[in-house]
Amino acid sequence: MNPNNQKTMTYNEVFDELKNKKEGAFIPFVVAGDPDFETSIEIVKKFVESGADALEIGFPFSDPVADGPSVQTADIRALDSGMTTEKCFKFIERIREFTQIPIGLLVYYNLIYKKGIETFYKRASEAGVTGILAADLPIEEAGPAVEMADKYGVNQIFMVAQTTRNERIDEIAKHASGFLYVVAVMGVTGARSDIETSTVDLITRVKDRTDLPIAVGFGISKPEHVKDVIKSGSNGAIVASAIINIITANLDNKDNTLEEIGNFCSELKQSTKI
Amino acid sequence: MLEDGKFGKYGGIFVPELIIPALEELEEAFYKYKDDPEFNKELKFYLKEFAGRPTNLYFAENLSKKFGCKVYLKREDMLHTGAHKINNTLGQGLLAKYMGKTRLIAETGAGQHGIATAVVGALFSLPSEIYMGSEDVERQKMNVFRMELSGGKVIPVETGSKTLKDAINEAFRDWITNVEDTHYLIGSTMGPHPYPTMVKHFQSVIGEEARRQIMEKEGKLPDAVIACVGGGSNAMGIFSGFAADDEVELIGVEGGGDGTETPRTGATLCKGTEGILHGSLSFVLQNEDGQINEAHSVSAGLDYPGVGPEHAHFKVTGRANYVAVTDKEALRGFELLSKYEGIIPALESSHAVGYAEKYAAMEENKGKTIIINLSGRGDKDMFIVAKEMGVEV
């Protein structure tokens, strides 16, 4: 259960407040239980201390087709450390003990389907989850999930990609709430060197068609990337693989992991101020 | 999408948003060309001249005597590259060409689909890259070499269980990244819509021929059609010819591994539960959280924790029965067919032979007419079988 029973913040509240301050949202990602339950809790604490405006939490899955090697490795580490879906929800409850910023889940649909769609959304809502994105659930199949999201007051988040046609963006926006997850690159998750001009074009295209806030993810791995996408009109920037790479590089040194993540995230947050 | 790709409740389109436009494009092209006279004329030409269709429906006299049944073998093992996989790769390869795609990617387990993709790549001048679990690369070295000889680039996959399921994950990731110029040539009746429907379409030639041939030879339909099921393409190919004939019993034989009561099994329909893997809702070998289990079978082609969604539909509606035979029983099927008929079957197809013996031994099945779909030949499996038999080669 959401332990403090404090009111959690909605995506709208966060994005509106930041807009007034002329800032974008910095949204870091970690896989629940990577490299182990307690360390990943401390990583999330670092996120919050460094100024994270919202959180993306991955539930580990054995076959993450939309993810590149960084997230796959993190998923395997988390599963090997004994994470289960119920432990992932306990993980969310622990986060709610120290922050009320929005928490988005990044999952694969089989984890939802196997638990029972209603059971999963009910439990997510109780734990204090704000939004759920299922990486392999396009709008064609999302009816039952959207229904449960509405019933339990959770935002259903969808992805929009460079290959997504305008009419389809409109269709997706109709189903979505919270924000639209704009996929920056053609490809899977993973750190990259540059932001492509096509990403900027996509941000403009999506902004022209919907009032929903947007956050850009996939390949956002440097302060410059964050600055670029916020400047281009994105409400937020999601950083995943670059953070996981820090965990991977410091597996035998937890203090280093936390220090490096803290420094990196502070820098990323600074870059959201334009 | 034009259709939802559902078989009853199973199937569908469970993929990341990035792939959706590619599936839309593929679906549109498939529906456009599948009834196009030019396309079909060309496909028919290659099926006949390149692949060697039609394949015979061979009356296995010696095995029939031994079993006490009339046993016919649909000889897909006689096709170019040694298995039924070429029916589908010719169809999809030609479709990719019509769509203007310039690169093929594929996953492979045993290597048969990889070879069938590589040779079609050579035939149509399309470069091909084949994802293959590193464990499969190890146990199917000969096939890796064959793919490379035909110009296929084999990419060993080191993630997860390092078998077919992980090769599929990697192929999807490649497709997500290179969706505009690349066609992902899925080798079985699985994956998101339109693949299960499309692969069945290209494999349905097996069932059409078999139905016509058995009517010519016997003047009546068979009592049963038996085929092995991994992803399920050879089975769906032959079943499709008889699905509307309610009196024909359809039997799918899964890779039981050490036995369905053990964790080392590939029997997805017999032992699995409903779930979503690789783009469609079907049966899956998984734990209570929905994490996918590793499958096990002596045959790399049946070593897969998912199964095509139409088979799930056939299972729950009772149109087909699904059974499993163990590695040991499959090896017995392998030896039986080799010894009695001089036909060395693929380990996958050996499962169908192994079950046919059990089927024929049941009192109520004495004297029945059965067709076994001999989906592939056993050349690729020589080293594995020798090892299992304790023979040094």
Side-chain angles (χ1 to χ4, degrees), chain B residues 113-341:
Chain B
H113 175 57
I115 289 166
T117 301
V119 302
V120 162
L123 177 67
F124 296 141
S125 306
L126 295 168
S128 62
E129 289 181 34
I130 319 291
Y131 288 92
M132 189 170 186
S134 60
E135 190 172 305
D136 291 335
V137 169
E138 195 48 43
R139 53 183 171 176
Q140 299 285 351
K141 280 182 191 151
M142 193 84 86
N143 273 351
V144 172
F145 186 50
R146 288 170 73 192
M147 281 181 259
E148 288 168 349
L149 286 173
S150 301
K153 187 179 161 202
V154 178
I155 305 172
V157 175
E158 301 286 352
T159 50
S161 57
K162 302 172 188 179
T163 61
L164 180 57
K165 112 183 145 78
D166 311 283
I168 296 170
N169 292 339
E170 279 309 312
F172 266 114
R173 290 180 187 120
D174 181 316
W175 203 30
I176 290 172
T177 311
N178 302 296
V179 78
E180 277 166 20
D181 66 351
T182 298
H183 175 66
Y184 177 16
L185 211 168
I186 292 186
S188 194
T189 48
M190 43 145 294
H193 176 66
Y195 283 102
T197 301
M198 179 170 66
V199 176
K200 171 189 166 178
H201 173 78
F202 290 132
Q203 291 293 1
S204 64
V205 63
I206 307 173
E208 281 162 31
E209 284 178 10
R211 193 176 191 286
R212 193 176 65 238
Q213 290 163 325
I214 195 76
M215 291 306 284
E216 281 165 14
K217 287 176 195 283
E218 287 287 322
K220 66 178 179 70
L221 290 167
D223 295 297
V225 175
I226 302 176
C228 66
V229 177
S233 72
N234 89 80
M236 199 44 76
I238 197 161
F239 286 179
S240 68
F242 302 93
D245 304 311
D246 288 337
E247 66 272 37
V248 179
E249 193 181 351
L250 305 177
I251 302 169
V253 187
E254 296 192 295
D258 290 351
T260 50
E261 71 287 357
T262 75
R264 284 170 60 80
T265 181
T268 308
L269 286 161
C270 293
K271 209 195 170 183
T273 49
E274 278 181 10
I276 292 138
L277 176 65
H278 297 141
S280 56
L281 172 61
S282 184
F283 278 64
V284 183
L285 294 173
Q286 58 185 337
N287 74 9
E288 66 282 2
D289 273 350
Q291 306 291 351
I292 309 303
N293 292 338
E294 290 178 15
H296 170 79
S297 169
V298 67
S299 112
L302 305 185
D303 202 350
Y304 178 56
V307 66
E310 194 169 8
H311 285 294
H313 180 58
F314 276 8
K315 176 191 161 81
V316 300
T317 57
R319 180 60 197 96
N321 294 326
Y322 294 91
V323 296
V325 306
T326 62
D327 289 352
K328 273 206 177 106
E329 291 166 326
L331 285 161
R332 177 169 165 78
F334 181 96
E335 287 179 47
L336 276 179
L337 197 62
S338 303
K339 188 171 157 192
Y340 282 87
E341 296 293 344

Side-chain angles (χ1 to χ4, degrees), chain A residues 15 18-19 23-26 207 212-215 229-230 233-237:
Chain A
F15 287 125
L18 289 169
K19 208 175 190 178
E23 282 179 30
F26 165 53
K207 276 301 210 186
L212 279 169
I214 66 168
V229 298
I230 301 295
S234 178
N235 304 82

Side-chain angles (χ1 to χ4, degrees), chain A residues 60-69 72 76 79 83-86 108-115 135-141 159-165 168 172 183 185-188 192 218, chain B residues 1 4 6 9 11-21 24 159-160 165-166 168-170 172-180 273-278 281 284 286-293:
Chain A
F61 183 52
S62 54
D63 294 78
V65 289
D67 286 297
Q72 284 179 57
I76 291 166
L79 289 172
M83 290 304 285
T84 61
T85 301
E86 182 48 31
Y108 284 83
Y109 192 51
N110 199 43
L111 300 183
I112 298 175
Y113 189 85
K114 190 70 174 69
K115 281 290 161 201
D136 55 351
L137 187 70
I139 47 173
E140 282 82 354
E141 305 288 355
M159 288 186 180
V160 170
Q162 288 176 19
T163 47
T164 313
R165 286 173 289 103
R168 193 171 166 88
I172 292 170
V183 179
V185 293
M186 287 304 298
V188 294
R192 286 170 177 82
F218 282 42
Chain B
M1 305 289 288
D4 65 5
K6 294 279 163 74
K9 68 188 276 200
I13 322 159
F14 296 90
V15 294
E17 183 62 31
L18 283 89
I19 302 183
I20 293 282
E24 286 175 338
T159 50
K165 112 183 145 78
D166 311 283
I168 296 170
N169 292 339
E170 279 309 312
F172 266 114
R173 290 180 187 120
D174 181 316
W175 203 30
I176 290 172
T177 311
N178 302 296
V179 78
E180 277 166 20
T273 49
E274 278 181 10
I276 292 138
L277 176 65
H278 297 141
L281 172 61
V284 183
Q286 58 185 337
N287 74 9
E288 66 282 2
D289 273 350
Q291 306 291 351
I292 309 303
N293 292 338

Side-chain angles (χ1 to χ4, degrees), chain A residues 21-91:
Chain A
K21 291 199 283 184
K22 295 206 184 318
E23 282 179 30
F26 165 53
I27 310 173
F29 169 93
V30 74
V31 173
D34 173 37
D36 58 70
F37 191 100
E38 289 305 327
T39 308
S40 58
I41 287 287
E42 287 181 52
I43 290 169
V44 175
K45 277 186 183 153
K46 273 282 170 215
F47 288 167
V48 175
E49 284 168 28
S50 317
D53 300 295
L55 300 165
E56 280 285 293
I57 304 296
F59 280 18
F61 183 52
S62 54
D63 294 78
V65 289
D67 286 297
S70 304
V71 179
Q72 284 179 57
T73 311
D75 278 358
I76 291 166
R77 274 198 301 257
L79 289 172
D80 286 348
S81 83
M83 290 304 285
T84 61
T85 301
E86 182 48 31
K87 278 189 188 162
C88 287
F89 284 126
K90 294 230 156 67
F91 186 83

Side-chain angles (χ1 to χ4, degrees), chain A residues 241-259:
Chain A
S241 297
I243 292 170
I244 291 171
N245 292 347
I246 296 176
I247 302 174
T248 304
N250 294 288
L251 281 177
D252 49 0
N253 194 333
K254 190 165 138 182
D255 293 342
N256 266 6
T257 304
L258 295 173
E259 193 188 329

